[in-house]
Amino acid sequence: MARQQVPLPRGVRALLGFVCALVLVDTVFFTALTPLLPHYVHTAGLTKAGAGILVAAYPAGTLVGALPGGLLTSHFGPRRVALLGLALMSVSTLVFGWSSAEAVLDAARFVQGLGGACTWAAGLTWLATVAPPERRGEMMGLAIGAAVGGALFGPVVAAVAGGALMVIALLVPTPARAEPQGLRAAWPAVRDPHVGAGMWLTLLAGVAFGVVDVLAPLRLSRLGVSAVMIGATFLASAAIEAGLSPMAGRLSDRRGELVPVRLSLAAGVVVSLLAPVLAPAPVLIPVLIVGLPAFGTLFAPATSLLSFGAERLGLNQGLAFGLGNLAWAAGQAGGAAASGGIAQATSDFVPYALLAGTCLITLIVVWPGRSRLARRLTRDPAEQQPASGVALARPPRPGA
């Protein structure tokens, strides 16, 4: 049954724009390394395993900061935590840009990850608590699409934008203060099918990008592709993903989260098997541009599942997105570090094949009628209503 689209109040539109900018800047910080990875491999003499550690440093920081970021958001509100995250990211990005020492680069990336844990937990909590339930997937998709668009900008722009956003964060209205919760409220929620599925899909997307961010640039470099062209490849892929993420969010709202998930997983299996074997570069590059968004489009439905499950359980949204950050960071850090080591000991095909197999198994589990979990996760989006005492469709109070 078709639903009438609820118009967004002015305050919610302003908040959506701010959160989009917030996560966009975070992604700028995160993706700045990808086209430069072959350069650091050559200049610092890094092995594939060493390159994996450098790539893993950022998500390792997010892994450490994920639950603290959620707790801080729960206790002090999203505005203060967003300011903290922006300050950490801006300073560490300047350090990263001026340094060439391996230890300093790793440390700067780690601190960037800590800041990212804060900004993502604060920003998505801010958005989820005011989004109309029937448009939550769309709004999460728009935010994630903006985050992907961050890959289209450079780290210098990001550092300046980080400072500007700290000023804007003081002007955007905050939602009504939620009751603070501790970790005791978060751990039982992991057993909820919606929260658990959202965390698994987030972790899987993190693993996928951990593998790709290490192995794809190095393979392109071996095929004779310049750093500029490597960057252009990932930018083009990010541009496609930025357009697809809001579509995945809208599809989640209208058809349920598992529909875009199945499409993404099926495409992920294909691109995982093709990426390590295709050559020459003019054949591989189009496949990466078109195929890599398959992994990124998992984030919008995964975030929607997390938010819905948290709301249904009465879990603070900050803690819910702290769990999401924890899942992404564990996947990204583990995928980056493990793929570099496995590829060095065997070949690039092995970690890609493991990724394809994991996507395939997940696809089978969420296929209609294949498992009890798929049936529990399938719900009619038209019947989605707030289950907690928080009126999510209500705009934030001015000056809150």
Side-chain angles (χ1 to χ4, degrees), residues 12-148:
V12 177
R13 292 197 302 270
L15 179 60
L16 175 61
F18 170 74
V19 173
C20 285
L22 186 69
V23 295
L24 180 148
V25 169
D26 173 78
T27 309
V28 172
F29 295 144
F30 176 64
T31 58
L33 176 63
T34 301
L36 299 175
L37 188 59
H39 165 75
Y40 287 114
V41 168
H42 292 304
T43 57
L46 297 177
T47 62
K48 283 184 179 179
I53 292 173
L54 180 60
V55 173
Y58 187 108
T62 303
L63 181 65
V64 172
L67 292 180
L71 283 171
L72 288 172
T73 302
S74 172
H75 283 78
F76 299 108
R79 189 199 304 273
R80 293 178 181 176
V81 179
L83 289 169
L84 173 63
L86 287 168
L88 289 173
M89 288 195 299
S90 297
V91 173
S92 58
T93 297
L94 290 176
V95 172
F96 184 85
W98 285 99
S99 177
S100 58
E102 181 180 352
V104 177
L105 292 173
D106 288 342
R109 292 288 287 176
F110 183 86
V111 176
Q112 284 178 341
L114 289 174
C118 293
T119 55
W120 275 86
L124 293 183
T125 297
W126 216 333
L127 190 59
T129 51
V130 299
E134 60 273 14
R135 296 190 64 180
R136 186 180 302 155
E138 177 188 359
M139 293 179 68
M140 293 297 178
L142 286 169
I144 292 170
V148 176

Side-chain angles (χ1 to χ4, degrees), residues 193-194 197 256-258 262 305 308 312 362-380:
H194 294 89
E257 289 86 357
L258 294 189
R262 293 173 190 130
L305 284 167
F308 174 81
R312 190 167 61 88
T362 305
L363 177 61
I364 293 172
V365 171
V366 300
W367 197 259
R370 297 296 297 181
S371 69
R372 184 168 61 179
L373 176 62
R375 291 191 292 272
R376 293 181 70 184
L377 293 176
T378 301
R379 57 189 174 89
D380 182 4

Side-chain angles (χ1 to χ4, degrees), residues 289-312:
I289 291 174
V290 176
L292 294 185
F295 302 120
T297 48
L298 286 171
F299 285 121
T303 302
S304 182
L305 284 167
L306 263 174
S307 180
F308 174 81
E311 180 194 1
R312 190 167 61 88

